[in-house]
């Protein structure tokens, strides 16, 4: 084990300081930093396309140069270029595969910047959203199989990229490299979280300028640590790809190391400055009560909960509708009443009158289900705007959404209320029937350009949202609401992203967060930055 560690350290040293390698790493850092800086604003640009192409080319050359150096070939730069050009088609497939495999892990902070530009037909987006659980499970299984096979057995199947390797790595060697990479990533994550904690603890005690400078310096240190971990991880993987050979050889000129350090510091400073000064951040938010409750007071989607939460004057009370067997609407979220009422029945299997006789229990409270007409009338009497989520099932009547819009669209417009749905067909039908009504689309995954599914506003799922999706919505003239942050830290992070509103089960807590001093919450900007790389 001691011998293996020594060999790995020598591989790290030569992998960074070998002839031409330091300059290659510096160029790669500049290109990726340029992509991140340009990627702040959504939309395709010629400069971005050129940078992507150059990054792919330089990446292929650097990995080839690294592999040949580690096996002792000491290639000239032109020899590596020749080998890359000879296998350009294979390299393109390999790099595209690597991009896909690393998208769930942040792609060095570029994943959201790439996905927010991805145009996909609205029909496909809707199909994924409506069947998100089976789609997610299938995609997850396929991903694990493909990633495991490629990472563990890749050296055996892509020998042509570096035919000079006489003994390609075994699956055990590749597994060991993955463990080392995971360990390095964990060390960086601990380091980053310590700096986030420092800003959380010390930032509120400082003035606005000092707190901002502390956040800027912390971001720079986080980035420097990430660059070091990324470089060492790539060297470890390539060294194992080559069969973990004993590494010897000369180092490049010292001035190349100096250039590399200078490039890294410059890139870290630029990215940190952009992250600190980017907009939107800490915007004024709409405060939206999820399912009409706050801190468990009352049963979701009932009149008792509505009367209680309306006293806090939220911007909207978000609530849910299901069609009943007699083609009316009941205020209800679940597609089965087993949890709330202890009855294994669906809203569509009962009439509205039967549903209204059911008693629902939650949070130690009990109440009755209520019709949409009564709920709307009560909200109007309380002068409380609503955010209506229309639920859909395969048993809904034909034209249900359009019928709803024709019946209630004008009243909702007059009430300054809005409608949103997970089903994009509802969004288009309601908007067509009631053009003046604000209609939004709920995204369970944030994985395509919002322009693929045009709407008046978007209810983005918070776990996979990023500032780029919020900016993309703003480019379309749409608001970006995020669901469903309930912890104070989660709310603060979404506020730091520049959300136009948050849909939460903890309305009073969200109000308290919105009243904080933004300068005391730079830690949230740092935390969002760290999460963008994971």
């Amino acid at each position: 084990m001691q011998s293996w560690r020594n060999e790995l350290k020598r591989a790290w040293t030569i992998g960074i300081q070998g002839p031409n390698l330091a300059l290659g790493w510096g160029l790669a850092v500049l290109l990726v930093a340029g992509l991140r800086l340009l990627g702040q604003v959504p939309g395709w640009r010629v400069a971005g396309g050129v940078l992507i192409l150059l990054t792919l080319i330089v990446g292929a050359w650097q990995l080839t140069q690294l592999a040949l150096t580690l096996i002792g070939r000491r290639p000239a730069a032109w020899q590596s270029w020749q080998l890359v050009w000879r296998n350009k088609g294979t390299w393109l497939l390999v790099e595209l595969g690597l991009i896909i495999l690393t998208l769930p892990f942040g792609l060095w902070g570029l994943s959201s910047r790439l996905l927010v530009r991805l145009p996909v037909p609205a029909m496909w987006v809707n199909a994924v959203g409506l069947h998100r659980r089976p789609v997610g499970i299938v995609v997850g299984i396929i991903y694990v199989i493909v990633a495991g096979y490629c990472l563990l057995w890749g050296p055996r199947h892509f020998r042509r990229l570096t035919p000079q390797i006489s003994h390609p790595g075994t699956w055990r060697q590749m597994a060991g490299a993955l463990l080392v990479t995971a360990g390095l990533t964990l060390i960086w994550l601990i380091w980053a979280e310590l700096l986030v904690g420092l800003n959380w603890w010390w930032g509120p005690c400082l003035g606005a300028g000092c707190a901002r400078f502390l956040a800027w310096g912390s971001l720079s240190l986080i980035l420097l640590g990430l660059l070091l971990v990324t470089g060492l991880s790539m060297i470890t993987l390539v060294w194992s790809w080559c069969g973990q050979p004993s590494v010897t050889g000369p180092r490049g000129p010292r001035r190349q190391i100096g250039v590399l350090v200078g490039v890294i510091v410059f890139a870290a400073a630029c990215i940190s400055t952009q992250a600190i000064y980017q907009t939107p951040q800490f915007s004024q938010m709409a405060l939206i009560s999820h399912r009409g409750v706050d801190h468990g007071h009352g049963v979701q989607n009932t009149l008792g909960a509505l009367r209680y939460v309306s006293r806090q004057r939220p911007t909207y009370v978000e609530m849910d509708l299901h069609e009943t067997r007699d083609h009316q609407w009941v205020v209800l979220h679940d597609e089965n009443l087993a949890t709330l009422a202890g009855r294994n029945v669906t809203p569509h299997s009962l009439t509205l009158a039967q549903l209204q006789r059911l008693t629902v229990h939650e949070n130690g409270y009990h109440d009755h289900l209520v019709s949409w007409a009564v709920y709307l009338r009560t909200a109007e009497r309380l002068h409380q705007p609503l955010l209506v989520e229309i639920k859909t099932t395969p048993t809904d009547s034909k034209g249900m959404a359009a019928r709803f819009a024709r019946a209630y669209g004008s009243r909702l417009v007059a009430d300054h209320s809005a409608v949103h749905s997970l089903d994009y067909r509802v969004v288009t039908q309601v908007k067509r029937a009631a053009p003046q009504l604000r209609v939004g689309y709920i995204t369970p995954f944030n994985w395509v350009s919002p322009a693929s599914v045009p709407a008046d506003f978007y209810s983005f799922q918070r776990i996979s949202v990023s500032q780029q999706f919020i900016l993309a919505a703003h480019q379309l003239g749409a608001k970006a609401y995020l669901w469903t942050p309930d912890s104070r830290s989660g709310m603060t992070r979404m506020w730091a992203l520049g959300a136009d509103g948050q849909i939460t089960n903890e309305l009073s807590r969200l109000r308290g967060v919105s009243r904080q001093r933004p300068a005391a919450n730079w830690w949230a900007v740092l935390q969002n930055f760290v999460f963008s790389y994971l």
Side-chain angles (χ1 to χ4, degrees):
M1 180 60 71
Q2 181 66 35
S3 174
W4 182 85
R5 286 199 296 267
N6 291 334
E7 290 290 348
L8 178 58
K9 291 178 183 178
R10 282 196 290 269
W12 285 350
T13 302
I14 297 300
I16 294 175
Q17 302 182 21
N20 299 313
L21 287 174
L23 293 179
W25 290 123
L27 183 57
V29 167
L30 281 178
L31 289 171
V32 174
L35 284 174
R36 173 137 191 157
L37 293 171
L38 280 179
Q40 177 60 20
V41 180
W44 291 103
R45 289 170 174 77
V46 174
V50 171
L51 278 181
I52 290 174
L53 180 61
L54 289 175
T55 303
L56 293 176
I57 294 172
V58 170
W61 175 82
Q62 181 70 0
L63 293 176
T64 300
Q65 184 81 2
L66 176 61
L68 295 178
T69 299
L70 291 177
I71 63 174
R73 291 305 176 104
R74 304 177 188 175
W78 62 269
Q79 292 174 314
S80 297
W81 283 120
Q82 281 185 330
L83 191 55
V84 169
W85 180 254
R86 194 181 309 144
N87 301 289
K88 53 185 177 295
T90 305
W91 263 116
L92 180 61
L93 291 175
V94 168
E95 289 187 314
L96 290 177
L98 288 174
I99 289 172
I100 293 172
L101 290 178
T102 52
L103 274 176
F105 299 100
L107 189 60
W108 210 81
L110 299 175
S111 60
S112 64
R113 288 160 168 78
L114 177 61
L115 293 175
V116 78
R117 292 168 165 77
L118 185 64
V120 174
M123 180 177 63
W124 296 5
V125 178
N126 200 51
V128 171
L130 293 178
H131 305 91
R132 55 194 179 277
R133 289 183 179 85
V135 169
I137 292 172
V138 171
V139 170
I141 292 173
I142 293 174
Y143 178 89
V144 170
I145 293 174
V146 173
Y149 185 81
C150 292
L151 292 174
L152 296 178
W153 292 102
R156 300 286 177 178
H157 293 279
F158 298 101
R159 289 283 305 275
R160 61 184 300 178
L161 295 176
T162 47
Q164 294 86 348
I165 298 175
S166 55
H167 299 289
T170 65
W171 71 268
R172 289 185 177 86
Q173 290 172 328
M174 294 303 298
L178 292 175
L179 288 175
V180 171
T181 298
L184 291 172
T185 303
L186 179 60
I187 292 172
W188 170 76
L189 185 57
I190 293 173
W191 162 251
E193 290 301 314
L194 288 174
L195 289 171
V196 171
L198 173 66
N199 282 263
W200 172 82
W201 172 70
W202 197 15
C205 304
L206 302 174
C210 292
R212 187 189 294 265
F213 181 77
L214 175 64
W216 180 88
S218 300
L219 274 176
S220 299
L221 291 175
I222 289 171
L223 258 176
L224 291 172
L226 178 67
L227 287 168
L228 178 61
V229 166
T230 301
L232 296 181
S233 297
M234 292 181 68
I235 293 169
T236 303
L237 290 168
V238 174
W239 179 60
S240 298
W241 181 286
C242 298
Q244 298 182 350
S246 179
V247 180
T248 58
R251 303 180 185 181
R254 285 184 176 271
R255 64 177 180 274
Q256 293 188 6
I257 302 300
V259 171
L260 174 60
V261 172
V263 166
I264 289 175
V265 172
F266 173 75
C270 289
I271 294 175
S272 299
T273 301
Q274 184 197 57
I276 291 296
Y277 288 96
Q278 64 192 1
T279 55
Q281 283 179 341
F282 302 112
S283 304
Q284 185 174 357
M285 293 186 297
L287 311 181
I288 306 171
S289 169
H290 185 230
R291 303 185 191 176
V293 296
D294 175 36
H295 198 61
H297 288 281
V299 183
Q300 58 177 280
N301 285 312
T302 60
L303 292 181
L306 172 63
R307 293 189 182 102
Y308 175 86
V309 80
S310 66
R311 299 171 195 163
Q312 301 187 45
R313 309 314 304 170
T315 311
Y316 294 108
V317 166
E318 194 264 358
M319 38 74 65
D320 309 274
L321 291 184
H322 270 288
E323 189 182 32
T324 65
R325 192 177 76 187
D326 53 347
H327 307 313
Q328 301 298 312
W329 288 279
V330 65
V331 182
L332 178 66
H333 174 274
D334 296 353
E335 294 184 13
N336 189 292
L337 283 155
T339 300
L340 289 176
R343 295 279 303 277
N344 186 25
V345 293
T346 65
H348 197 271
S349 65
L350 301 177
T351 65
L352 178 60
Q354 290 172 319
L355 287 163
Q356 288 178 300
R357 287 195 290 270
L358 295 179
T359 301
V360 288
H361 303 265
E362 189 178 42
N363 304 317
Y365 295 86
H366 67 275
D367 211 324
H368 287 279
L369 293 177
V370 62
S371 72
W372 161 238
V374 172
Y375 195 96
L376 175 61
R377 191 162 55 248
T378 303
E380 289 174 334
R381 190 163 56 249
L382 296 169
H383 304 289
Q384 176 58 62
L386 300 176
L387 179 55
V388 183
E389 179 178 350
I390 299 179
K391 296 287 188 179
T392 59
T393 68
T395 54
D396 291 331
S397 63
K398 185 178 181 180
M400 176 268 290
R403 181 164 54 87
F404 173 87
R406 287 192 294 269
Y408 296 101
S410 58
R411 286 178 66 179
L412 292 173
V413 171
D415 297 339
H416 304 288
S417 295
V419 171
H420 65 170
S421 180
L422 273 163
D423 192 333
Y424 193 66
R425 294 170 299 183
V426 169
V427 175
T428 56
Q429 291 171 18
V430 170
K431 191 64 180 178
R432 190 180 304 119
Q436 300 304 314
L437 180 62
R438 292 182 67 239
V439 186
Y441 181 55
I442 305 172
T443 64
F445 303 126
N446 301 304
W447 62 285
V448 297
S449 168
S452 300
V453 280
D456 295 326
F457 64 91
Y458 296 90
S459 300
F460 290 123
Q461 196 263 11
R462 73 177 183 89
I463 295 176
S464 57
V465 78
S466 69
Q467 202 166 47
Q468 284 65 51
F469 281 94
I470 294 173
L471 285 168
H474 290 174
Q475 279 192 332
L476 299 172
K479 298 284 189 181
Y481 303 144
L482 308 185
W483 59 277
T484 313
D486 288 336
S487 67
R488 185 174 296 275
S489 61
M491 293 171 178
T492 306
R493 288 199 307 103
M494 298 304 103
W495 186 33
L497 281 178
D500 297 300
Q502 297 189 41
I503 304 171
T504 180
N505 296 300
E506 301 288 343
L507 183 67
S508 53
R509 183 178 297 166
L510 177 60
R511 189 179 299 280
V513 167
S514 69
R515 291 173 175 171
Q516 293 182 96
R517 186 169 61 99
N521 289 289
W522 284 110
W523 67 267
V525 176
L526 267 68
Q527 189 68 82
N528 288 332
F529 187 84
V530 171
F531 286 167
S532 74
Y533 286 90
L534 296 175

